[in-house]
Amino acid sequence: MSLKRTGGMFLALLLLVSTPVTLTMAHGAQSSGKGSYSGKSEVVYATLEADGDQKEIYVVNKFSVDRPGKIIDYGPYTRVENLTDLTEMEVDGQRVGFVTSKDLFYYQGTLKDRPLPWDIDVSYRLNGKNLPPEQLLGKDGKLEIRIHTRANEKAGENPFFENYMLQISLTLDPEIYENVEAKDGTIAEAGKNQQVTFTVMPGKEASFVVRAEVRDLEMESIQITGIPPGLSVDIPDADGMMDGMRSLSDAVQGIDAGISELNKGMAELHQGVEGLYGGSKKYKQGIRELEQGSAELIEGSKSIRDALMKLSRSLGGDADQIDVGQLKELQKRLADMAGGLKQTENSLTALQDQYTKAYHALDRSIAAIPAQDISEEDIRQLKASGADPRVVDQLVQTYTAARAAKDAYTAVKGSFQAVNPTLKEVARSVREMSIYIEIIADRLDNSLNQTHLDESMKKLQQGLQSLSEQYGAFHSGLVDYTRGVARLSQNYGRLHTGIAEMKDGTRQFQTGMHELHQGTSKLARSTRNLPDQMQSEIDQMVSEYDRSDFDPVSFVSSKNKKVKSVQFVLKTESIKKEEDKPKSGPKEEENKGFWSRLLDLFKS
């Protein structure tokens, strides 16, 4: 036997001889007094099946000792283990006793059939087919992992479900999992792997789905942590946000007021455009009728011109050959012609007055149309602003029709301006012609009543010749006038079409503006109390998730006091090949006394 081994056995012998007295004294000193602790914490560890079914559960208890001695704890443990030193622990039913001289003391207790606060269900769907976990290993395809959490009905009164937040984490190997999707989850890099994390708020039932394409499927354990409400929810400083909300609310009220005024203005504009359209329609009909009557007017004027020329030539012969009866008939017709021309003058004067009024009304209405150019970029930005697309389209249509009417009017405005002077000049010419013909008729009548007919006929012939020449000039002017009326009728037809489109556009715009005003009014009503509503929502959210007033209780036994914190660490079984699974730890050491453990130190 070597000297080293001999020395070791000798040392053991000395320990065997001297230690019992020392330990007995120490044990007696410790057990003679009652210890106390300032607080304890519990960390609950649980292993779950791959589908979430509860499997094993144990609790690590930690005590902050403020007076050494014997301490009593409670729990329905099937087995306890001292994690601090080699001191044996006493178990009597649910009563656990231990003696400690340390500032911190740890022990582990195993529980059986103790339900967790949460019921956790994990299901798997591969290529559209539900499969149990044991059939997933090594498969390829599209995988869905569904996780559902809810309160465990078997847990009875459940303060942990109501007050604790769950954090669920999945670690995915990118060589196996591609195109990972996790709605309502967070995907982050964790070393060479990807980590998907979900959060379940206190008191809430939740469901989550992870989707991915897998190849040769393997899966690490799903980690689930129950976090205690150790910190109160900090209420954010909402003064800045409140100021912003008040500004927003005031702005919305201002927008609604502006839209209201715009809506009223649009209604008035539409009424004005409708009136313009009605007047324009009548004016178009009048111009059309005038154009259609122009041919008859020209033809009648031509007949008068020819008749005057013929009459003037016929009076150039011998007075004895003149038929007095025909001259009297001529005098009568000239008087009728003078009367007809007076009626034509009156009609032209009335037409001039009506045209002047209609033209001024049209000119004011067209001038009221804004001349600003709206670019394609402006329209694109308006459509991208979030405004109602239908209303935007109506605005664009109205703008296009209004600009078309304005442009068409600008193009023919010169013709409009020329109509009034032309009508005035034609009326003046007709008036002069009627007066002249009336004078001729009177002179002819006087001549027929005189005895010196020959001399009267010469004067009459001279007058008719002058009248015929003047009437020829009048007839040429009348032809030019009717041509101008024809051009005016054609141009005004295009303008009237633009006014009709503008009327339809303003009607659509008014309808859209009315709907927009209804929307802004509703928005204004809903945001009038926006700051107060926001503060109320903040208060409600804080009250919903603030668990700062929750006093921790023991998960193991209601008899345990001074509990400072309780945490839950849950883990599902992994889905891995046998050679990849971590080997089981060493077989649990059977309960040995202090002497057995001490002697083991000296075994070779």
Side-chain angles (χ1 to χ4, degrees), residues 421-489:
T422 302
L423 287 174
K424 187 175 181 180
E425 180 64 24
V426 170
R428 185 188 63 79
S429 300
V430 170
R431 182 173 66 254
E432 292 177 353
M433 190 64 62
S434 68
I435 293 173
Y436 196 68
I437 291 176
E438 190 175 33
I439 292 173
I440 294 298
D442 290 341
R443 289 179 178 177
L444 179 60
D445 183 55
N446 292 332
S447 297
L448 292 174
N449 293 328
Q450 294 178 6
T451 56
H452 300 288
L453 184 62
D454 185 42
E455 183 179 353
S456 298
M457 288 298 104
K458 288 181 179 179
K459 292 181 179 180
L460 177 62
Q461 182 183 16
Q462 293 173 357
L464 287 175
Q465 185 177 359
S466 176
L467 175 64
S468 177
E469 293 173 355
Q470 292 181 11
Y471 195 87
F474 167 77
H475 180 74
S476 299
L478 187 64
V479 171
D480 293 338
Y481 159 72
T482 55
R483 289 173 180 170
V485 169
R487 288 195 298 272
L488 176 62
S489 178

Side-chain angles (χ1 to χ4, degrees), residues 189-202:
E189 300 296 327
K192 72 179 188 67
N193 297 320
Q194 283 187 316
Q195 188 171 58
V196 181
T197 304
F198 300 102
T199 300
V200 184
M201 300 309 293

Side-chain angles (χ1 to χ4, degrees), residues 121-126 130 142-149 168 170 172 179-187 196-200 206-212 219 222:
D121 180 70
V122 184
S123 61
Y124 305 87
R125 188 177 182 86
L126 185 65
N130 292 326
K142 295 183 178 180
L143 176 67
E144 286 187 2
I145 305 172
R146 297 181 176 270
I147 304 172
H148 184 74
T149 67
I168 304 172
L170 296 86
L172 305 178
N179 301 323
V180 178
E181 298 178 2
K183 184 181 178 181
D184 302 324
T186 302
I187 303 176
V196 181
T197 304
F198 300 102
T199 300
V200 184
S207 295
F208 305 105
V209 180
V210 179
R211 294 183 175 89
M219 184 174 173
I222 299 176

Side-chain angles (χ1 to χ4, degrees), residues 313-455:
R313 287 194 299 269
S314 66
L315 291 177
D318 192 358
D320 295 334
Q321 298 179 357
I322 297 175
D323 188 345
V324 177
Q326 291 181 353
L327 289 176
K328 288 184 177 180
E329 180 68 23
L330 174 62
Q331 187 269 339
K332 183 177 180 301
R333 291 192 177 184
L334 286 173
D336 292 340
M337 181 184 295
L341 287 173
K342 285 184 178 180
Q343 292 180 357
T344 302
E345 177 198 357
N346 294 334
S347 298
L348 287 172
T349 302
L351 176 62
Q352 178 191 355
D353 292 339
Q354 293 177 0
Y355 173 81
T356 300
K357 294 177 182 179
Y359 170 71
H360 288 319
L362 176 64
D363 190 65
R364 287 194 301 269
S365 299
I366 295 297
I369 299 175
Q372 291 89 348
D373 289 329
I374 300 177
S375 65
E376 292 292 333
E377 177 64 20
D378 295 333
I379 296 174
R380 188 188 65 79
Q381 292 180 359
L382 180 60
K383 290 182 177 181
S385 67
D388 188 343
R390 185 169 59 84
V391 175
V392 174
D393 290 339
Q394 291 173 352
L395 286 171
V396 174
Q397 292 174 3
T398 302
Y399 165 75
T400 303
R403 285 308 305 265
K406 193 174 183 72
D407 293 342
Y409 175 77
T410 302
V412 299
K413 187 174 181 179
S415 299
F416 282 120
Q417 292 172 338
V419 169
N420 189 47
T422 302
L423 287 174
K424 187 175 181 180
E425 180 64 24
V426 170
R428 185 188 63 79
S429 300
V430 170
R431 182 173 66 254
E432 292 177 353
M433 190 64 62
S434 68
I435 293 173
Y436 196 68
I437 291 176
E438 190 175 33
I439 292 173
I440 294 298
D442 290 341
R443 289 179 178 177
L444 179 60
D445 183 55
N446 292 332
S447 297
L448 292 174
N449 293 328
Q450 294 178 6
T451 56
H452 300 288
L453 184 62
D454 185 42
E455 183 179 353

Side-chain angles (χ1 to χ4, degrees), residues 543-581:
S543 64
E544 183 177 358
Y545 294 115
D546 183 11
R547 298 297 187 270
S548 59
D549 58 348
F550 172 67
D551 294 325
V553 296
S554 173
F555 170 74
V556 181
S557 175
S558 60
K559 294 181 179 181
N560 293 330
K561 306 301 179 184
K562 300 181 182 180
V563 179
K564 299 300 182 182
S565 71
V566 178
Q567 300 182 42
F568 294 84
V569 180
L570 318 179
K571 182 176 69 172
T572 66
E573 285 192 334
S574 62
I575 303 174
K576 303 186 76 173
K577 299 173 184 177
E578 288 298 328
E579 59 269 22
D580 294 336
K581 286 187 177 181

